[in-house]
Amino acid sequence: MHLHTTYQDVFLWRGQTNTAWGLTPGMHSRVTGSTQPRTEATASRATAHLLRTARAVGVHEYNGAKLPDLALLAHLQHCGAATPLLDVSTDPLIALWMAAFKSPERPGDGDDVSGALFGIVKPDDSHWIKPLDSRQWDDSSLSISSNLNGDVWWYQAPDVTERLRIQRGSFLLGPLQPGRSDGTTLPLVTEPAGEKNWVEERITSRGKPGAPARRTTDVFKLEITAAAKQFIRKLLIERSGLTVAAIYPVPWHRPYIEEFSRSYDRTRPLGLDL
């Protein structure tokens, strides 16, 4: 919370139950784990297939409106589909929950490995995408996928799901960068310049006079030890009022969208869609 509230840097937050995982959108995982070319073009084609199929079965319609591509991807993402979007939250407590809870049904399944809490600097406002941006995702010259320009963008989707609203969710997107040693596929700087750790310096200098350490990365990671996860779950439930039912509301009015989305998760072979 000190890092979240004190400095001029504004961070978006992401929790993962395994500290070994990099910052990799689900669609990027599908591409890098396939025999297809590990390129943004492959990811874009697979994403276009997902969108076409979703529209064909009608899950793009929501409360009488037909969602544009990015809003539809956000909807599918929060129901379990692998998309080019990376979930982040404006609330570090929500991200801490994600690092400590493996799943709503079996929260303790990840207690054998350490988790991670990521702070990711929010892109400059010139790289914000409006909630109902109507551009298509395909590879035409005016599409979203063709105008990422090697950068990371922040997309704050409309509240297409209760889950998205409750989790204070938003998304990062950017072109696929395969082959990085840190497992991250978005164009984010994760390794500090030099040997100094700017996050550690900021933490240890709390309350001391002087300018704070300069940020030298786009991302920092705090390890959540395996032994701490059970305690963190108890703390979050008892002290923050968060519950499994609140974080993961069931879409009773649209149960079929979860079934559709889960059939397009990270484990789906990419060859089925290309």
Side-chain angles (χ1 to χ4, degrees), residues 28-55:
H28 290 187
S29 292
R30 291 186 64 201
V31 171
T32 57
S34 75
T35 59
Q36 300 291 325
R38 299 178 179 182
T39 63
E40 174 60 27
T42 302
S44 182
R45 289 201 310 275
T47 301
H49 170 86
L50 172 63
L51 288 165
R52 286 195 304 271
T53 308
R55 294 186 186 284

Side-chain angles (χ1 to χ4, degrees), residues 56-241:
V57 300
V59 297
H60 65 299
E61 297 185 4
Y62 183 75
N63 286 345
K66 295 182 179 180
L67 298 175
D69 282 0
L70 265 185
L72 177 54
L73 286 173
H75 201 356
L76 296 172
Q77 171 86 7
H78 260 245
C79 291
T83 80
L85 309 180
L86 184 76
D87 285 282
V88 291
S89 177
T90 55
D91 186 343
L93 290 182
I94 295 293
L96 189 60
W97 175 287
M98 298 302 172
F101 284 75
K102 177 68 173 178
S103 69
E105 300 82 10
R106 303 175 68 89
D109 274 8
D111 287 0
D112 57 335
V113 295
S114 294
L117 177 67
F118 290 92
I120 309 166
V121 68
K122 183 189 287 187
D124 182 78
D125 58 8
S126 64
H127 283 63
W128 294 3
I129 300 177
K130 294 181 179 180
L132 287 174
D133 191 303
S134 61
R135 288 175 295 168
Q136 294 183 324
W137 182 267
D138 62 32
D139 58 0
S140 65
S141 61
L142 298 178
S143 70
I144 295 168
S145 59
S146 296
N147 286 278
L148 296 176
N149 298 325
D151 299 323
V152 173
W153 299 72
W154 181 52
Y155 175 53
Q156 191 167 17
D159 291 334
V160 289
T161 68
E162 283 292 294
R163 185 175 297 184
L164 183 63
R165 178 181 61 81
I166 289 168
Q167 295 178 10
R168 270 79 84 188
S170 57
F171 305 91
L172 294 175
L173 63 152
L176 170 63
Q177 287 193 337
R180 290 175 47 163
S181 60
D182 60 2
T184 293
T185 57
L186 293 174
L188 293 164
V189 177
T190 59
E191 296 297 328
E195 296 181 359
K196 290 187 177 181
N197 185 317
W198 63 271
V199 178
E200 185 176 5
E201 287 190 22
R202 286 189 181 183
I203 292 173
T204 56
S205 65
R206 281 182 297 176
K208 299 177 182 178
R214 183 177 64 87
R215 179 176 58 81
T216 58
T217 64
D218 298 326
V219 179
F220 68 87
K221 179 173 73 172
L222 303 178
E223 183 176 344
I224 310 299
T225 63
K229 287 184 177 180
Q230 186 175 0
F231 169 77
I232 289 173
R233 289 196 295 271
K234 185 173 184 292
L235 185 73
L236 288 171
I237 291 172
E238 292 182 354
R239 299 296 182 93
S240 71

Side-chain angles (χ1 to χ4, degrees), residues 242-265:
L242 298 175
T243 66
V244 172
I247 296 295
Y248 301 104
V250 177
W252 296 111
H253 60 303
R254 305 190 75 199
Y256 50 86
I257 194 168
E258 284 201 329
E259 295 179 11
F260 173 84
S261 297
R262 287 171 180 170
S263 71
Y264 280 86
D265 65 9

